[in-house]
Amino acid sequence: FFQAEDGIRDIGVTGVQTCALPIFLLSGPDRVGKSTLAAELSELSGFPVKHHSAPDSRSSSIFEVYRNNLRDGESQIWDRSYVCAYILERFRKRTHDHIVEIMDLEFELSQKHKVIHLGVTKPWYWSAPLHLKELREESPDAAWWHIRDQYMARQAEHHFYTDEMVQFFQYWTMFPSFMVERSWSSLDVWSNIQSIDGMERPGFTTD
């Protein structure tokens, strides 16, 4: 995707314009480099990064913040996409109820946006030292057993998230997706984004 004054120029079709605005959705476990990659892709694309945290318990939906982003009417990069909210709610609260809401959200996105999911993950040994450092900083006076138990909970979440993300990409989402290889630079990721021609896919409608 390339920014153009009156729309977005379609991949590989010089001069063809479409009103569909691209949104890149970055998902992955904690401490795997999502935010770093989002910032680098922002530099390459010129699209702003929308950072997301855990859902607000006062919101009408765990996906409300993502719908609010759509009102900006611009191309965007979502750091910690709705896939994160969905998987972590499942892991931490053992609920499956939000998949229908995701279907609704994806139908809404498909009306005005060209969406690509990017899965970002690393082996646990890569993330483990970052988690341990964070846990020690958060609870400097805690006994080792407390740090250990929190560490092991994060380890379980890391593996659950990775497996569920792959399944979501393969089974649930209507949008193109790919897993970011560990050896890829941000330029490699950007090249892979550009190689995806979503215009060959049929449009969706909720009518």
Side-chain angles (χ1 to χ4, degrees), residues 30-31 124 127-135 151 154:
D30 290 339
R31 308 297 170 264
W124 175 246
S127 302
L130 302 176
H131 282 285
L132 191 57
K133 179 176 182 291
E134 184 177 67
L135 287 169
Y151 172 88
R154 292 190 180 198

Side-chain angles (χ1 to χ4, degrees), residues 4-5 31 40 59 71-72 74 76 123 150 180 183 193:
E5 290 183 0
R31 308 297 170 264
E40 292 172 349
S59 298
R71 298 190 182 103
D72 294 342
E74 61 183 0
Q76 302 172 16
Q150 294 296 313
V180 175
S183 61
I193 289 172

Side-chain angles (χ1 to χ4, degrees), residues 26-31 34 52-55 62-63 66 79-96 98 102 131 153-162 164-165 168:
L26 275 65
S27 305
D30 290 339
R31 308 297 170 264
K34 295 189 299 295
H52 304 100
S53 57
I62 67 170
F63 306 121
Y66 303 102
D79 179 16
R80 196 180 186 278
S81 80
Y82 53 82
V83 179
C84 295
Y86 165 67
I87 292 175
L88 293 180
E89 285 296 300
R90 285 194 60 199
F91 181 79
R92 296 170 182 173
K93 299 180 180 178
R94 306 300 180 186
T95 176
H96 297 257
H98 299 296
I102 281 189
H131 282 285
R154 292 190 180 198
Q155 182 182 41
E157 180 178 290
H158 178 97
H159 294 304
F160 179 88
Y161 191 114
T162 301
E164 288 292 312
M165 178 170 59
F168 180 87

Side-chain angles (χ1 to χ4, degrees), residues 2-10 16-22 75:
F2 299 95
Q3 191 71 43
E5 290 183 0
D6 56 345
I8 303 300
R9 182 164 297 165
D10 191 26
V16 175
Q17 302 295 323
T18 173
C19 63
L21 298 171
S75 303

Side-chain angles (χ1 to χ4, degrees), residues 184-204:
W184 287 0
S185 68
S186 56
L187 285 172
D188 294 325
V189 176
W190 181 239
S191 177
N192 205 56
I193 289 172
Q194 291 175 299
S195 71
I196 296 175
D197 183 5
M199 291 301 291
E200 293 182 357
R201 301 165 66 249
F204 291 88

